[in-house]
Amino acid sequence: MKIIRLLFISFLILLASCKDSRFVMNQLRDVESYIQERPDSALAALREISPQSLSSRYLRAYSSLLHSQALDKCYIDLKTDSIIAPAVLYYSRKGCPDHRLKMCYYQARIFQNAGDLDSAMRWLVRGEKFVPKCTDYSAAGRLFSVKTELYYYVYDFKKAKSNIENALDLYEKDENISSIAIALLDQASIDLLSHDYISAVQSLDLCRKYWDSLSLQRKSVWYKRKFELELNSDSIDIDSLTLQCMNDLKTEAAMPWLVITDMYIKQGDASSAEESLKKYVQYHPKEEHSRAHLLRLYQIQEMSGMYKPA
């Protein structure tokens, strides 16, 4: 009789545990459904889940993966694997392709934040093998976007271009407008540094179609690239482009004053170049003694015949 009673109690405990696990699983799935759009809310929800309720290795791995994702989306840069460790341990051996890819991606991001770019690249390459079976195309696109960043950092523009093209294909497959726009802007930057000006023009023109999805900072970068393209052309219509830039950005603070200065220097207009450089320092006061500012100041003063102040 005692044995039957003990077995019945054990069954009730097991049943309650299963219900608790299902409840936590549903909580985590719910968080995953909005983590991209509302990472701050996702982070708050994850922090409310008690560690004791994560009763299995899978739940601990799933939770740690979502936690790492939420922190990354909230621009909280992790430099250690203390949070993602359960996910790495679990998804290194099993799990769905989407979660295994994301584990590799966020582990790579941690190494990238810590400055260990070789280890970051190794994890990205490891995650790449899950792309063919991945259903979250934007997540796969982000993996290629970070690979692009790393190749860009070491001036391997050929591989950077190849990876940003892969990212673009995946963002387009997912109809992720904002990511498409950013990837096109990155592609234009790579084209410029590769001196492929025709492709750079095409990338900027395509990016312009998604203008409303770009942040003010990204719009400023778009105009910076546009001005840089003009610098490499024979004829410079600087006044109309500057006016267009001002009308689009609506604020002088976001204007790319340094490259506008370069354009006036190329034209030989020392007065306008000086005014543009003053605007640059006004909105970037920490750059007053930077090499970029001093070099242009010297060029302007040389143009004006003022050698001693330079």
Side-chain angles (χ1 to χ4, degrees):
M1 188 68 181
K2 286 183 179 180
I3 294 175
I4 294 173
R5 189 177 300 168
L6 286 171
L7 288 172
F8 181 70
I9 292 171
S10 298
F11 173 74
L12 290 177
I13 292 171
L14 181 63
L15 185 63
S17 176
C18 289
K19 286 182 178 179
D20 288 343
S21 294
R22 283 198 298 270
F23 177 74
V24 174
M25 174 65 75
N26 289 334
Q27 279 185 301
L28 294 175
R29 285 175 177 166
D30 183 52
V31 167
E32 189 173 23
S33 69
Y34 62 79
I35 196 168
Q36 282 295 119
E37 292 75 24
R38 294 182 285 128
D40 51 344
S41 299
L43 186 58
L46 289 166
R47 285 172 172 169
E48 288 178 2
I49 298 174
S50 68
Q52 291 76 18
S53 66
L54 303 171
S55 55
S56 68
R57 284 184 299 171
Y58 174 72
L59 288 176
R60 288 191 289 274
Y62 192 10
S63 176
S64 74
L65 179 63
L66 293 176
H67 205 152
S68 300
Q69 185 176 351
L71 289 168
D72 187 74
K73 290 292 292 181
C74 289
Y75 303 102
I76 301 172
D77 295 338
L78 297 176
K79 295 183 179 181
T80 68
D81 63 355
S82 57
I83 290 176
I84 203 174
V88 174
L89 184 64
Y90 183 88
Y91 293 117
S92 289
R93 291 176 290 179
K94 54 186 173 180
C96 70
D98 285 322
H99 287 172
R100 299 187 79 180
L101 179 142
K102 289 177 184 178
M103 177 275 292
C104 292
Y105 172 83
Y106 290 109
Q107 179 75 318
R109 290 282 289 153
I110 290 168
F111 281 114
Q112 185 184 20
N113 294 335
D116 187 349
L117 304 188
D118 289 337
S119 294
M121 182 61 80
R122 280 195 293 271
W123 277 100
L124 292 170
V125 170
R126 184 173 174 178
E128 199 172 336
K129 69 181 179 182
F130 300 115
V131 171
K133 294 184 179 180
C134 204
T135 59
D136 189 339
Y137 301 125
S138 287
R142 286 191 292 275
L143 183 143
F144 285 111
S145 289
V146 174
K147 281 187 72 185
T148 300
E149 285 181 38
L150 298 183
Y151 282 125
Y152 188 95
Y153 182 80
V154 296
Y155 301 101
D156 192 336
F157 301 128
K158 185 177 180 180
K159 288 182 179 178
K161 179 73 178 281
S162 173
N163 277 275
I164 202 62
E165 286 173 348
N166 288 337
L168 261 171
D169 288 342
L170 289 158
Y171 293 142
E172 287 170 356
K173 202 171 182 179
D174 210 23
E175 298 181 353
N176 189 331
I177 301 302
S178 60
S179 293
I180 291 171
I182 293 169
L184 285 167
L185 192 55
D186 290 341
Q187 185 168 266
S189 300
I190 294 165
D191 290 334
L192 267 167
L193 288 169
S194 304
H195 305 292
D196 187 351
Y197 302 126
I198 294 175
S199 294
V201 170
Q202 292 171 344
S203 297
L204 288 178
D205 287 346
L206 284 171
C207 182
R208 185 76 190 189
K209 294 180 180 179
Y210 308 103
W211 188 253
D212 291 340
S213 71
L214 292 173
S215 65
L216 179 61
Q217 183 182 5
R218 298 283 185 181
K219 289 176 180 177
S220 178
V221 173
W222 188 93
Y223 268 105
K224 184 180 180 183
R225 301 294 175 250
K226 187 73 173 176
F227 278 114
E228 286 169 346
L229 272 172
E230 289 293 320
L231 268 173
N232 289 286
S233 66
D234 295 329
S235 59
I236 302 177
D237 190 2
I238 183 170
D239 293 330
S240 62
L241 187 56
T242 302
L243 181 61
Q244 180 189 338
C245 180
M246 186 63 205
N247 288 336
D248 270 346
L249 301 184
K250 308 290 194 255
T251 172
E252 283 191 345
M255 297 275 285
W257 290 113
L258 205 59
V259 70
I260 293 173
T261 301
D262 290 336
M263 293 183 73
Y264 280 123
I265 289 173
K266 184 176 180 179
Q267 277 191 336
D269 187 344
S271 177
S272 297
E274 185 177 8
E275 288 303 312
S276 297
L277 194 60
K278 285 180 180 177
K279 291 284 187 183
Y280 173 71
V281 174
Q282 177 184 343
Y283 295 112
H284 305 87
K286 292 182 180 179
E287 297 297 311
E288 185 174 6
H289 301 291
S290 69
R291 184 177 180 275
H293 171 254
L294 294 175
L295 176 62
R296 287 161 179 82
L297 183 61
Y298 173 80
Q299 289 176 302
I300 293 166
Q301 292 175 341
E302 186 179 39
M303 287 165 60
S304 305
M306 300 168 62
Y307 297 104
K308 287 185 179 179

